[in-house]
Amino acid sequence: MRHFFSYLIPFSILFWSVVAVTSDYYEQLNLKPLPQSNLLASFNFRSNTSLSQFEAHNFRYFPRSLGQILQHVGTRELHLRFSLGRWDAESWGARPWDGTKEGGTGVELWAWLEAETDEEADQKWLSLTNALSGLFCASLNFIDETRTTRPVMSFQPEGNHPNSTLANMQLLHGVLPREVVCTENLTPFLKLLPCKGKAGISTLLDGHKLFDASWQSMAIDIRPVCASGEECVLQIDQAIDMVLDIERSKRPRDNPIPRPAPGHELKCNSSKPYHSGDTCFPTDFIEGQDWALDQVFGKAIKGACPLTDQNAPPVCIQVPHSRDIYTTAGATEIKNPNGFSRCYQIPSDADFSFILPHISREGEHAGTSADEIVEPATPLLYAERSFTGHGYERGGVRTILTNPSPDTEVEFVYMESLPWFMRIYLHTLKTQIDGEWRSSQDVIEEIYYRPALDRVRGTQLELRMRIPPASTVFLTYDFEKSILRYTEYPPDANRGFDVAAAVITILPSNSPNAPIERQKTSNLRTTTLLLSLPTPDFSMPYNVIIFTSTAIALAFGGLYNILIRRFVGADEAPKVSVGGLKGKIIAGIMKLAGKLKGAKGKVE
């Protein structure tokens, strides 16, 4: 029953976002404590503008800088992701937003462009990546044809597009797994917001906290939305999700160095038989955490954004109703009937924060973990990917896919975008279910394969798969490593080459009795891989240059000296007059030496 409520919580909170579809601007912060002293913070910002106003270049809440780029290149739908870190599904459970606002490590971009030919689409894609690169201070301009794919089964349009537009829409997808996400990407993200980080929940967004998180993701989604009986609007949905370590976030910024806690502040497990006054076994977060909003983020919310929808509460937290929360004055609490979440209406002219006190696990009124946090939902699918083999000539990839459901199979599309220097052998593609090798037809229903061309395009592999209940599938294949030109290696060539994360799209179930979480599309990404290629000795060109330069200098110097110098006899050489101070000194020394020699002869 708890799993059902954990899936129901996001829908109950996102009810406010459904109401806000028709509003011009809406923002909300969802907080969810996780096991092992972690906190999931999800920031969501949504702006709408009518298509007629957008085409007339009338921008109110929709950012003008981004709207002009979309109009120039004919972009009908756009999705941009900045991600860093790894989501720990075994500890934190299902991903926020069902993984739809998550991208692979680095930068990921896919968009639907209106173009009649592939050449026109490629030209518009190049203009789009260059413009977004300058807007978000990212290296999106490095998404060239070798890093661009055209997915067939993995992505579908999320907006409402007329049939006349769908006929000329082309999907292009690119990823930069090597891109390092930093504060330079957060600043233009905040400038797209109506309040621009000056008021509302965006005042909590600070680069020191965001990029100190264990996992973080920034997402921008732009799509047309048509409600029944109303004019279609162009919607921009901005989201930031981060997982913060509460203990690390509570450290003061002016003294962030961790230091051992004093003996009287240690949290010890008194159930151990050797527990005493001088012996302590750490509880390892069993006791939970007490924290405050301004303590975790370093500051309080600077009032509500005056432009947001007043009917949607800006702050929500997912904790049981039995847990006490103390807020600042002026806030109004709204509890959800499901018993596992509550929201707060905050004033626009005062700071807002709240405190979650410590729950004691001992004594007469001892609490449990169920009183402190909501149990995370079980993911629909677990995925792991790694390299196999050794050496610099060949290798392999192994992906482990696990269906945790005991009674429901899961159907999904598995897509990999591999660089051209990974030449895979498609005939080596094999599947293994629970340790038994089986035919690929038992698991793989459909395959789309687009081979790579050297220095032109990468490999695109899409698999439509189905995993039985409570089963684990091992997907393996082999590949060959190519040798690059020495000018194609990056400055840190010995580090390796980043391989983009695999994209897994879980398809909705066709069964009418399927649970809520299986009646919609969800996504997840695997971790990126680090590929080692044969690396030449880059010191050899330097050694060759030095050796040849030395040999040429010696040969040329000697030959030039022989050709230019004039050799004459000693008796034919002109006498050199000795003058000046140097001559006088030499003459004095010679005169003194002669006197000493004469005096020595007289003595003998």
Side-chain angles (χ1 to χ4, degrees), residues 8 15 150 172 176 199 282 293 300 341 353 384 424 447 459 483 516 523 549-550:
L8 186 61
F15 167 77
R150 298 173 182 268
L172 290 95
L176 285 176
L293 184 67
S341 65
S353 181
E384 301 177 10
I424 70 172
I447 298 177
T459 300
I483 299 179
I516 299 177
N523 301 90
S549 299
T550 304

Side-chain angles (χ1 to χ4, degrees), residues 20 101 115 118 124 158 168 184 257 292 420 465 489:
K101 300 183 184 299
D118 293 345
K124 290 186 175 182
E158 299 180 7
N168 295 329
E184 294 179 352
I257 301 176
W420 62 267
M465 305 177 63
Y489 286 91

Side-chain angles (χ1 to χ4, degrees), residues 318-445:
Q318 299 181 26
V319 292
H321 286 182
S322 58
R323 184 167 188 181
D324 297 329
I325 298 180
Y326 304 101
T327 65
T328 54
T332 304
E333 185 181 65
I334 305 173
K335 289 189 175 181
N336 196 299
N338 59 21
F340 295 98
S341 65
R342 66 190 79 177
C343 298
Y344 294 94
Q345 288 281 9
I346 63 178
S348 58
D349 55 351
D351 294 353
F352 171 78
S353 181
F354 58 77
I355 300 175
L356 276 77
H358 174 72
I359 297 179
S360 177
R361 301 294 176 87
E362 300 177 355
E364 182 179 357
H365 301 285
T368 61
S369 59
D371 299 325
E372 185 174 1
I373 64 174
V374 178
E375 183 180 353
T378 303
L380 301 181
L381 187 70
Y382 293 99
E384 301 177 10
R385 190 174 63 149
S386 61
F387 279 132
T388 60
H390 56 86
Y392 289 97
E393 185 179 1
R394 293 181 178 86
V397 175
R398 181 180 65 176
T399 306
I400 304 176
L401 305 166
T402 303
N403 181 10
S405 175
D407 53 3
T408 307
E409 64 179 10
V410 58
E411 185 178 6
F412 58 92
V413 177
Y414 178 87
M415 187 188 81
E416 284 195 351
S417 301
L418 304 176
W420 62 267
F421 44 79
M422 280 184 62
R423 303 173 179 173
I424 70 172
Y425 299 123
L426 192 61
H427 70 279
T428 62
L429 183 66
K430 299 179 181 179
T431 56
Q432 182 182 8
I433 302 180
D434 296 332
E436 298 181 0
W437 292 105
R438 298 187 183 182
S439 174
S440 300
Q441 298 178 356
D442 297 339
V443 179
I444 301 176
E445 299 179 346

Side-chain angles (χ1 to χ4, degrees), residues 67-133:
Q68 291 176 344
I69 294 175
L70 302 179
Q71 292 176 343
H72 176 70
V73 299
T75 304
R76 298 306 176 186
E77 186 171 329
L78 181 139
H79 303 273
L80 179 62
R81 304 287 185 268
F82 298 89
S83 302
L84 191 65
R86 184 183 72 90
W87 177 267
D88 188 2
E90 295 183 358
S91 302
W92 303 338
R95 288 165 165 79
W97 313 104
D98 299 315
T100 56
K101 300 183 184 299
E102 176 188 355
T105 302
V107 180
E108 186 176 354
L109 171 68
W110 68 96
W112 277 267
L113 307 177
E114 187 174 4
E116 297 181 357
T117 61
D118 293 345
E119 291 76 12
E120 182 183 358
D122 293 337
Q123 187 63 32
K124 290 186 175 182
W125 175 256
L126 181 62
S127 301
L128 177 64
T129 54
N130 289 333
L132 295 178
S133 176

